[in-house]
Amino acid sequence: MTKRVFMGATLLLTGLVMVFQVAWALSLPGFRGPDEPHHVNSILRLASGGGWPVPGEAMLDPAVVQAGRESGIIVEQADSFVGMSRTRLENSGVEQRSEPPLYTFFAEREVVPEGERSAIGPVEMADPEAVEIDQMSQHPPVYYAGGAALVSVFDLEEQPWDRMLTVLRLYGILLTAPVVPALVYTARRLGVRRTWALAAGFLPFAIPQYFAITGGVTNDSMAIGTGALVVAALAKAGTEPISRKTVLLAGGSLGLALWSKGLLLALGLALVLVFMLKRDESWRRRIVATGTSGVLALAIGWWWILNVVRYGVIQPSGFHRAPGAEWDPALAEPAGFLSSALRSIATSFFSSFGWLEAKFPSDLTFLLSGALIVAVIWGVIAAGNHRRTAVAILSPVGGLVLVLLAESWSTYVETGMIAGVQGRYLFPMIAALSVIILGLQSRRGITLVIFVAITVIVGAYGYVYFLESLYPGEDTRIDLERFSEVTGISSRTTTVLMTGVVIVLVAALVLAAIVARIESRLDLSKDEAKVRPLLGERLFRPAGKPPRDLTKQIRTRRWVSVLKPPKPRKGQL
């Protein structure tokens, strides 16, 4: 596969994934994403000149609550988005109560017609009638400032809330554009052939929750996009000698990512390990590289240092949960907590669509989680000379899980509630999952097709399950008339949208088949199979054609033997 074809295929795959994201965004009812009303409120507050107040001081504006009523996410009498106020989805595991107050299901809730929906704005920092806290000022303001700029440029405060949501959701999707290229690039840096590196780019299809989250208005979009760039930069740093360029890329990308949300601090562990585990480097160079890149990251992402200075903590909490009336910390059970917390992380990594509601069947979640863990372990074992880099870029995943468990345990002991353990928090490290391709690439073309087919099938199933949970039909699995009513999309446009989803998924399979055919035609000799891409050079090259500018390349034995044939022994011609 030539470099031009490889780059073109990567760009095409990126487009397919992003078009699928757009389909999820258009299919998601208003304010149905996790904390979406609060993210929107903070964007509009900035656009209205309300600034970025101390966490806990900003309130959810009544205009946003009114829009929530119109969208059907909350009941007609609700004044907030918590508790019994929120409508329930199908497949959420919620059963109707036997006595009042009864749950209201979204499928039964009327929504305001598309032409009668209100506009939101301007938004005040703390309207006297507001009752719910907007805790989003606990995050850095960059994502919200970008959204506020769009609100101002397109006068979205004067537009119906559904149009405003569409623009802000598309803005978030654009921020995730680096994900597929980062997956492919990371796989290449770890020594994967171009054909199999492209297969890494299909991984988002196997994680339907990725599309459900990035289809809403959320700062997770910026965290996911910048996190992917950090992983790619660290993969480069781990597979090259320490240089000024790798130090600047690693530290600079992490510094940028720190302006999304505090969870990206976990990538600091990968930064340390990438440099400290380097081979053939002196300890002095390792320590200097680690320290320099770390200081650079904190200098660029200085928001968290400012938090420590102002509040004495890295990230202040915007709200506090009250313990249950009958809760006693002595009732806390470590085993039960751990089981529930890990199940929550696995479930919300692959599903829990809507406001973390519609969940895949537990058997499917177990199967997907087990397959992913086995594939990661297999990839690490097969990583060879790049095993240290693979472990380094995967380390934030394990580290973040431990942090989430520790924080949730503290909340659990205090309040009796298990909260904050969500699989979506791992999405900024999604590019590190390229490691699984290291184990698979020992197989040939048919395996590549099977792998991609599985990812696409899971993605298609996830989208159908998502629609069934939101728009269940009586005579059909999906009520497309209800879909049009809720989303404000005409029936004709709905047909075009559904057809477009099918085209995207089929195109993904066709692309995989083409790549697999190229893979199956590769003539992999034993020597070539061991070659790793070095400093951006092509993996396979005609035997008599050396790399350009050899003085700037790592001289492998293969090229030395080509350029400098061994001298004949004494007595030989």
Side-chain angles (χ1 to χ4, degrees), residues 13 17 179-181 183-184 196-205 434 437 451:
L13 181 55
V17 170
V179 169
V180 171
L183 279 162
V184 175
W196 270 106
L198 280 171
F202 289 88
L203 280 169
F205 286 112
S434 294
I437 304 299
F451 169 77

Side-chain angles (χ1 to χ4, degrees), residues 48-356:
S48 303
W52 207 244
V54 173
E57 290 187 358
M59 303 296 291
L60 200 63
D61 197 87
V64 177
V65 178
Q66 174 58 30
R69 296 192 197 101
E70 295 177 7
S71 71
I73 186 177
I74 53 178
V75 299
E76 186 63 37
Q77 303 79 19
D79 55 5
S80 68
F81 290 84
V82 298
M84 296 294 294
S85 297
R86 237 177 16 244
T87 55
R88 266 54 181 179
L89 296 183
E90 299 294 323
N91 299 320
S92 61
V94 174
E95 296 183 0
Q96 186 58 274
R97 296 163 61 97
S98 58
E99 57 184 24
L102 302 178
Y103 291 121
T104 300
F105 286 85
F106 178 69
E108 303 168 355
R109 176 80 164 84
E110 292 186 4
V111 299
V112 172
E114 189 268 337
E116 302 175 16
R117 294 171 183 176
S118 62
I120 307 175
V123 167
E124 297 183 22
M125 186 187 80
D127 188 283
E129 297 182 2
V131 299
E132 185 176 353
I133 292 175
D134 175 5
Q135 75 275 22
M136 293 306 151
S137 58
Q138 67 186 2
H139 301 297
V142 173
Y143 165 79
Y144 303 91
L150 289 175
V151 169
S152 300
V153 169
F154 295 105
D155 295 325
L156 297 181
E157 288 179 322
E158 301 176 3
Q159 301 294 324
W161 54 260
D162 54 346
R163 298 181 189 175
M164 176 198 64
L165 283 179
T166 298
V167 174
L168 293 178
R169 287 173 176 179
L170 294 179
Y171 157 63
I173 290 172
L174 287 175
L175 294 178
T176 65
V179 169
V180 171
L183 279 162
V184 175
Y185 179 82
T186 301
R188 282 290 287 158
R189 296 306 310 182
L190 293 176
V192 175
R193 295 189 296 277
R194 283 177 177 165
T195 47
W196 270 106
L198 280 171
F202 289 88
L203 280 169
F205 286 112
I207 310 173
Q209 179 72 330
Y210 169 83
F211 296 94
I213 294 299
T214 59
V217 180
T218 171
N219 64 351
D220 284 347
S221 296
M222 180 179 174
I224 291 169
T226 55
L229 291 176
V230 177
V231 173
L234 293 175
K236 178 179 177 63
T239 53
E240 288 187 7
I242 293 175
S243 66
R244 182 180 301 175
K245 182 178 181 179
T246 56
V247 170
L248 291 177
L249 282 175
S253 61
L254 179 55
L256 173 64
L258 291 180
W259 281 100
S260 58
K261 58 195 310 179
L263 293 175
L264 275 295
L265 287 166
L267 284 168
L269 174 61
L271 182 144
V272 172
L273 293 179
V274 156
F275 288 115
M276 295 302 291
L277 296 179
K278 296 287 291 185
R279 291 178 175 176
D280 303 324
E281 298 280 2
S282 67
W283 278 104
R284 179 183 177 186
R285 285 181 62 81
R286 299 185 205 182
I287 294 172
V288 170
T290 302
T292 303
S293 58
V295 170
L296 177 62
L298 291 176
I300 296 175
W302 48 264
W303 177 263
W304 308 103
I305 298 176
L306 181 62
N307 276 351
V308 173
V309 173
R310 290 190 298 181
Y311 309 120
V313 294
I314 294 176
Q315 178 170 306
S317 178
F319 69 97
H320 300 280
R321 293 182 173 87
E326 301 179 358
W327 174 250
D328 184 347
L331 299 175
E333 299 180 1
F337 163 80
L338 185 61
S339 175
S340 297
L342 292 177
R343 191 183 309 114
S344 174
I345 291 175
T347 301
S348 57
F349 185 83
F350 290 102
S351 60
S352 295
F353 307 132
W355 204 311
L356 301 178

